[in-house]
Amino acid sequence: MSTSEAPIVIVGTGLAGYTLAREIRKYDKSTSILMITADDGNSYSKPILSTGFQKEKTPDELVQFQADVMAERLDVELLTRSCVTGIDSESKQVLLDDERVSYNRLILACGASAIRLNLSGDGLKHVYSINNLMDYRAFRHALVGVDRVAIMGAGLIGCEFANDLRSGGYNVNVIAPSESVMPGLLPPIVGDRVIQSLRDEGVCFHLGVVVERIDETSDGLSLYLNNGEILEVDRVISAVGLRPNTAIAAEAGLDVAHGICVNRRLETSLPDIYALGDCAEVDGHVLPYVQPLMSCARALAKTLTGEPTDISYGAMPVMVKTPCCPTAAYPPPADVHGSWHVERASEDIKALFRGDDDKLLGFAITGEFMNEKQALTKELPPIHN
């Protein structure tokens, strides 16, 4: 098959991959599309994994469409449980072990993987990282008959799972080296408000410490913290962050930094190869959230169907799924000067970060201030002009 006759190949069937295929079909009904995924190819929304108990959904009920339904709806060929082991950019082929598949254009939507901590002890098989539906299904199965869960990490995912597990009636301990929660997203005063709300729900926090060892016991697990404290639990979630999947790209000679480096047209450093989603570093920005992913999919679909389109990021606040303390945040750029200005209404907080010229550069709001999110977002400068 000549490369001109080869399909568009999309690696990954997460939200990025499926959204891109759906957007392409809005403009082009006939071009062949091949999607390759290492998992079962079922369609689901990754953000809802931390809402299963709140929504009273089993893992199977979180599936929106089965893989065969997605293949039919999008008119794509779908290879499930297939791992891409390499890219031959000169021949325009991807490698699946000993098989080679030609592409006309290749899109890497291969996501990110959970960071693994270097821990000691014989209880590590009871530590779960939840990065996809298969991970979540295994974790939910492991919860049967137990009720004590420890969460390592107090970032966005750790806090969301803490709230959700309490909704399911589990005893929850959160352990993190930070002194507050979501330190990369929230100023401490707002992080402390989230902590108090979660504590009111029954979540226990152990901050400024880390887990050093996890051992099995006769009735569960012992977690040894570096302050000498020992916690007795049954299961552990490791929610210490994600790392973009870049190994295949790097081996193929693509430029890689924190993610796969792409320009505002989502082009990598090699021709006819693109990247988007959690694996991509777009014009220097790694934004592993739904809104930037959707923006990228819409722009790239236009590019791939004959209308070259640059991505243009506006200000995109992050919604934190902690129903006990509804929160939205847009952290200011790390390199700007300014200060936080705080307003309270009862226990709710509005924190605005203003630059030296008094322009709004970031915010974090909770509770009743959430109705100001849209107006505040309009006041922020866009990421891309």
Side-chain angles (χ1 to χ4, degrees):
M1 178 188 296
S2 68
T3 57
S4 62
E5 299 172 331
I8 293 173
V9 173
I10 301 173
V11 180
T13 57
L15 190 58
Y18 273 140
T19 300
L20 176 61
R22 187 179 295 109
E23 291 293 321
I24 290 172
R25 286 296 181 234
K26 290 180 180 179
Y27 307 104
D28 185 335
K29 307 295 186 185
S30 60
T31 294
S32 296
I33 300 175
L34 170 64
M35 302 189 72
I36 304 171
T37 180
D39 63 21
D40 57 17
N42 290 338
S43 174
Y44 66 97
S45 175
K46 185 176 175 181
I48 67 175
L49 296 182
S50 58
T51 67
F53 289 106
Q54 298 163 39
K55 296 182 180 297
E56 299 182 342
K57 299 283 189 181
T58 67
D60 289 340
E61 289 172 334
L62 295 178
V63 174
Q64 295 167 324
F65 298 103
Q66 299 289 331
D68 58 344
V69 174
M70 292 300 294
E72 182 178 358
R73 285 189 169 208
L74 298 173
D75 189 21
V76 301
E77 183 182 354
L78 184 57
L79 293 181
T80 62
R81 304 188 187 282
S82 301
C83 291
V84 172
T85 55
I87 301 169
D88 183 341
S89 60
E90 291 188 6
S91 300
K92 298 186 71 170
Q93 294 177 322
V94 293
L95 284 60
L96 308 175
D97 292 323
D98 295 330
E99 183 182 358
R100 286 175 170 259
V101 176
S102 296
Y103 64 83
N104 179 275
R105 283 158 296 177
L106 173 64
I107 296 89
L108 302 176
C110 41
S113 296
I115 295 171
R116 306 285 181 177
L117 294 175
N118 185 22
L119 301 173
S120 60
D122 60 11
L124 301 184
K125 65 182 178 181
H126 300 294
V127 177
Y128 294 83
S129 294
I130 303 172
N131 191 37
N132 55 50
L133 186 56
M134 291 191 297
D135 292 342
Y136 183 67
R137 186 178 284 112
F139 176 67
R140 286 287 293 265
H141 180 74
L143 288 181
V144 175
V146 302
D147 65 1
R148 301 171 300 174
V149 180
I151 300 173
M152 298 187 298
L156 178 72
I157 300 304
C159 289
E160 290 183 349
F161 270 112
N163 201 157
D164 196 49
L165 285 162
R166 282 302 299 149
S167 297
Y170 292 88
N171 295 313
V172 179
N173 283 272
V174 175
I175 306 111
S178 56
E179 296 296 337
S180 189
V181 299
M182 295 178 270
L185 193 61
L186 304 178
I189 191 169
V190 180
D192 291 347
R193 171 70 186 117
V194 176
I195 290 173
Q196 188 56 56
S197 296
L198 287 168
R199 280 179 172 152
D200 290 345
E201 295 294 309
V203 176
C204 295
F205 282 88
H206 309 265
L207 300 176
V209 295
V210 297
V211 177
E212 292 186 327
R213 182 180 182 87
I214 301 176
D215 283 339
E216 284 195 83
T217 65
S218 58
D219 63 348
L221 302 170
S222 289
L223 272 60
Y224 294 83
L225 310 186
N226 66 343
N227 66 351
E229 188 177 0
I230 302 173
L231 301 180
E232 302 298 331
V233 304
D234 298 302
R235 299 291 182 265
V236 180
I237 295 176
S238 179
V240 297
L242 299 174
R243 182 176 289 116
N245 291 325
T246 61
I248 295 297
E251 290 169 7
L254 278 69
D255 289 346
V256 168
H258 184 61
I260 301 170
C261 297
V262 296
N263 59 20
R264 289 178 58 179
R265 205 160 284 180
L266 305 183
E267 299 166 322
T268 68
S269 56
L270 293 178
D272 295 322
I273 303 179
Y274 304 79
L276 81 162
D278 290 359
C279 68
E281 182 172 329
V282 182
D283 190 30
H285 299 278
V286 178
L287 300 174
Y289 305 112
V290 172
Q291 196 172 347
L293 178 157
M294 302 295 281
S295 297
C296 285
R298 287 190 288 266
L300 182 54
K302 290 181 179 180
T303 295
L304 295 173
T305 55
E307 184 184 342
T309 303
D310 287 357
I311 182 65
S312 182
Y313 284 152
M316 295 176 286
V318 177
M319 301 294 292
V320 182
K321 296 186 293 297
T322 47
C324 69
C325 184
T327 303
Y330 184 85
D335 57 349
V336 299
H337 295 284
S339 58
W340 287 99
H341 303 264
V342 176
E343 179 182 338
R344 292 178 179 270
S346 185
E347 295 182 337
D348 294 322
I349 297 174
K350 176 170 68 174
L352 306 181
F353 187 93
R354 296 193 177 277
D356 294 340
D357 56 2
D358 204 40
K359 289 184 178 179
L360 184 68
L361 299 175
F363 69 82
I365 51 178
T366 70
E368 70 174 59
F369 290 113
M370 290 289 283
N371 59 15
E372 298 184 31
K373 177 178 72 72
Q374 187 173 359
L376 290 171
T377 302
K378 289 181 178 178
E379 196 179 333
L380 292 165
I383 295 174
H384 290 136
N385 293 316

